[in-house]
Amino acid sequence: MAITDDVLVIGGGLAACTAALAAAETGARVRLLAHKKSTLRQASGLIDVLGYSGSDGPFANPFENIDSLPANHPYHVTGKDGIRDGLRIFDEAVGTAYQGGHTDTNALVLTYGGTVKPTARYPESVAPGLASASGDMLLVGFDSITDFDAPVAAQHLDAAGVPFSARGITIPFPEKFRADAKVTRFAKALDRNESVSGGTVRSALADAVAEELDGEARVGFPAMLGDDHDEEVRDELAERLGVPVFEVPTGPPSLPGLKLEDRLFDALDDAGVHISSGNPAVDYEAEDGRIETVLVDQKSRLTPYEADQIVLATGGLVGKGIGSDRESVTEPVFGCRIPYPEDRYRWSESEAFGDHAFARFGVVPDDELRPTDEDGEPHFENLRAAGGVVGGAHVAHEKSASGVSLATGAVAGRLAGEEAQQ
Amino acid sequence: MSDAESPTKPTLTPAAQTEDFEPVEVFPETTEMDLRPGSDNCYKCTACDVSCPVAEVDDKFPGPKFQGPEQWRLKRKEDTSVDSSIMSCSNCMRCDDACPSGVPLSQMHNTARGEYVETEMDKLSREYIRNRILSNYGTLAWFGSKVPRLTNAVMGNSLVQQINEKVLGITSERDFPEFATQTFREWWEERGGAATSKERAQEARAERGGPQVRSEDKRVAYFHGCYSNYNTPEVGKAMVRVFESFGYEVVVPKQRCSGTPMFANGMLDDARRAAGINVENFSGLLNEGYDVIASCTSCSMSLRQEYPELFDIDGIEDVSEHTYEALEYLRIHEDLEGAIAEASVSDQAFAYHAPCHGRNQGLDRQAVELFRELDGVTIEDVGDSCSGISGTYGWKSEKYDVSMQIGADMFDHMEHAEGDVGMTECPTCSMQMAHGSGYEIRHPLQLLEEALV
């Protein structure tokens, strides 16, 4: 015996969660096999679909610009229906915690660098800070959270020509922590509304900001306004200040990412998806072109997991779903083909933001998202791929990382679920 | 059995197999472990610090990133000693699971803690003596269990607890765990040991019918650890009866403490001695078809991960590769789900807590996923926080408050859970759960016994 399911999804990020939910919708028995803590905690928590293509963009509507993408882009495999299905699964999983589902049009969300990012879905805590909304803006940074420099971010916004004025200030946080305290420590202090001289953390913070407020219609903070009681924290600050407050998503470890991880894993639980996490899939056994067993390195010993259908959603170069050394680029679990220029110096461009070949590295999917070999034939009839491990998209440039994960996850998961029950 | 069921380790260095491969020795041979690659892999994302339960409640604790890769690098300077804050790490090992870059954080912490205790700690200090006593709980328990009723009376005496607090720095807030009047090993011997187990397994195999299985394929060696021997023999008995009912012949080799409390207190010499005895007593059985089964997730963690990481002992890797947690083994080798689907028990509801060391072996969901399919059972996970006790940690007077703050989330979730019986695999988590909630706490094997035997 091995641990046996209909569909085995390998990965723990957005694509894997989406694939597992899509497969579970078909009625299949699904297991998510995740290695470490989900990489969602390193992510901004924003759900982008498509903002740029080559030199075009930013796009107001991602769906109207799919055709401008290169021929081997995964969106051409999933189609617009796949993207919509991915967004539907996401919207159902996160409920009212996210906004943006009322329209196809991109929202322009403020980043911690003071740029704006075209985004399809965003946490509700971010909503009052949209660049498309009107109202002058005060950005508040803290001298102890060095990731977010509010004056610089405000200047960037001004320089970008947003239709409102933005001003940034840096103030001390009302409670003093060790120099390298994490955003989670600030969030907990606000959650618990800890006592400080002159009141509580929330009231003292509101007082300090109120003193600086000069007629601005909204106030933005780095994303640390509470964890378990975030809505309560935002409401209290807004009430004391008399204007809406919002969060600006920050770098890792990111609270919006951590919260998204919790929501998606709760949704997996509700859908009855089994979850095994903590150990990596490292190898497999196949017979007649079908994967029979996936082998998981469970602390020095291999544990067999069996499933009728497999979805590979292990991520890209950063997530380690794609490996590389000086000689080659590989997909480490199943050895699927990843095309790359033989000359290593053609893997990247000299400009930091150039059109790097490595950004598009990944497996080559057929029309069912199965990774293919040199002849265009699927490596295995029951293996599909989703998310960052799929090649062809330059997600950082296109602002399409989440959309590609949702669309490929939805399609690969649904096909796997349906196939498993044939 | 197909190859899938008894997989072998893949060869990760194919070049080493070709005949013309000649390894070149670049670095002089050393017995010191090289933690440099681990340190270099850290890219300072602080995912570990965010996962650290101690750092979350103790503002003075610098967190796993400092304790691991940063301290290792600072230590390259010869006049730098290990910082005393390493003793505030509870060895929950959650940082291992959080790191996206494969930094062996707990290994670095264990090594640093060992060095700190060896070179910085006064061997006559109250802290050292207290830690030595706590980390050698097995020895203490051996004496205590000789006269269990007397020991229970003495340890439950509030005057004795005050003396423990004042003299040794062991908190008087907690009730000392009671010793069973008959240890697991005494029960095992009285029952007829391995010979009886063989008979019962044969009977079960005959009853189960199906293809004849050679007994070599159904043999397990039980690592009961200290707690289920001295304090909760009912867990050990459940393990034996459940495995026998699936046709497994059980043996119970002589054994010492797994070493977990010794690692956590930097007593690496004590841990090495215990590991040596355990490896010697279990490794010989592997050739005869035995796998090693533990019912405590910290014991299985220790044998699987910490032993090969920290010690170089003959056969240690073999033992590590053949060690399983009890439910995990049955999930892999038997149709446990099928058996549970056909069983039923009287109505009962559980508040389940996954121990950190189980979580790190990928076992945090198995009890809930299995038992929610068991007729009569309602089971709910009380959240992914650490229980806070971390073995001997929460027994120390100066750590007690931190330990209870870490556990606050779990207590809260237990209170709101439907069940008023707790469940966990870890003995000290169960002490903490009982201490914070007043609930009775059971082990998954006990429920499995009730359902299947």
Side-chain angles (χ1 to χ4, degrees), chain B residues 116-167:
Chain B
Y116 176 80
V117 169
E118 174 81 31
T119 61
E120 306 292 321
M121 210 186 244
D122 176 2
K123 303 296 174 294
L124 296 173
S125 67
R126 182 179 92 152
E127 189 185 3
Y128 179 84
I129 294 167
R130 189 264 324 263
N131 290 358
R132 192 88 198 267
I133 292 173
L134 284 176
S135 60
N136 284 282
Y137 175 77
T139 313
L140 194 73
W142 183 82
F143 283 112
S145 67
K146 295 291 159 201
V147 278
R149 287 190 184 86
L150 176 64
T151 313
N152 292 339
V154 170
M155 295 314 280
N157 181 299
S158 65
L159 180 67
V160 174
Q161 289 186 326
Q162 288 307 316
I163 292 171
N164 276 341
E165 170 100 45
K166 296 275 182 304
V167 178

Side-chain angles (χ1 to χ4, degrees), chain A residues 1 29 36-37 41 178 182 185 188 253 269 274-275 277 279 285 298-304 320, chain B residues 4 7 46 50 56 59 96-97 100 304-305 320-321 323-324 328 332 337 360-362 365 369:
Chain A
M1 293 288 302
R29 191 192 138 103
K36 300 274 185 169
K37 284 283 179 196
R41 54 181 52 202
R178 52 180 304 116
K182 303 293 159 299
R185 182 66 189 92
K188 285 280 174 214
D269 252 341
H274 295 81
I275 300 174
S277 71
N279 300 290
E285 288 173 334
Q298 208 128 1
K299 301 264 173 269
S300 79
R301 188 198 61 239
L302 297 185
T303 298
K320 298 191 171 68
Chain B
T46 69
V50 171
E56 188 175 328
D59 284 338
D96 281 353
D97 196 27
R304 288 166 86 163
Q305 181 174 324
S320 162
E321 282 168 27
T323 299
Y324 298 76
E328 176 192 25
I332 297 171
E337 273 184 32
N360 265 14
Q361 291 168 75
R365 316 261 312 189
E369 285 178 2

Side-chain angles (χ1 to χ4, degrees), chain B residues 157-208:
Chain B
N157 181 299
S158 65
L159 180 67
V160 174
Q161 289 186 326
Q162 288 307 316
I163 292 171
N164 276 341
E165 170 100 45
K166 296 275 182 304
V167 178
L168 287 171
I170 295 173
T171 181
S172 57
E173 300 283 343
R174 295 185 189 276
D175 294 325
F176 212 74
E178 282 201 10
F179 289 110
T181 46
Q182 184 187 39
T183 66
F184 168 76
R185 294 192 74 93
E186 285 163 3
W187 171 83
W188 172 255
E189 293 306 330
E190 189 180 289
R191 186 177 182 254
T196 301
S197 185
K198 194 177 178 115
E199 264 170 47
R200 298 203 178 192
Q202 276 168 355
E203 281 166 27
R205 288 202 296 269
E207 205 174 299
R208 296 174 85 84

Side-chain angles (χ1 to χ4, degrees), chain A residues 35 61 77 92 103 108 183 190-191 212 241-242 267 273 322 344 352 373-374 397 402:
Chain A
H35 180 195
N61 185 324
V77 182
E92 287 174 15
T103 173
L108 295 175
V183 288
L190 287 163
D191 261 356
E212 301 277 349
L241 288 168
V273 171
I322 297 175
R344 186 161 60 91
D373 60 19
E374 284 79 357
H397 174 73
S402 301

Side-chain angles (χ1 to χ4, degrees), chain B residues 26-85:
Chain B
V26 182
F27 300 104
E29 206 165 318
T30 169
T31 51
E32 297 263 300
M33 68 185 84
D34 182 13
L35 295 171
R36 166 142 209 170
S39 181
D40 287 353
N41 273 349
C42 172
Y43 52 70
K44 312 283 176 207
C45 72
T46 69
C48 55
D49 288 348
V50 171
S51 292
C52 174
V54 177
E56 188 175 328
V57 300
D58 180 358
D59 284 338
K60 292 194 196 73
F61 183 63
K65 177 164 64 74
F66 170 78
Q67 303 299 349
E70 287 172 2
Q71 177 141 267
W72 185 88
R73 208 168 285 125
L74 284 172
K75 282 274 303 154
R76 296 310 98 200
K77 294 190 176 233
E78 279 181 6
D79 58 348
T80 310
S81 49
V82 179
D83 190 74
S84 62
S85 62

Side-chain angles (χ1 to χ4, degrees), chain A residues 275-312:
Chain A
I275 300 174
S276 296
S277 71
N279 300 290
V282 292
D283 207 352
Y284 67 97
E285 288 173 334
E287 213 174 293
D288 299 333
R290 284 182 66 84
I291 295 165
E292 302 279 328
T293 312
V294 173
L295 300 174
V296 173
D297 182 353
Q298 208 128 1
K299 301 264 173 269
S300 79
R301 188 198 61 239
L302 297 185
T303 298
Y305 283 79
E306 264 175 28
D308 189 68
Q309 301 290 320
I310 319 284
V311 178
L312 178 69

Side-chain angles (χ1 to χ4, degrees), chain A residues 348-391:
Chain A
S348 60
E349 299 292 324
S350 48
E351 305 85 44
F353 296 103
D355 189 13
H356 302 296
F358 74 77
R360 291 192 170 81
F361 284 171
V363 301
V364 183
D366 70 359
D367 58 2
E368 283 189 36
L369 285 173
R370 291 179 299 193
T372 55
D373 60 19
E374 284 79 357
D375 304 324
E377 294 297 319
H379 283 285
F380 305 99
E381 65 173 85
N382 59 345
L383 176 70
R384 289 177 179 76
V389 75
V390 179

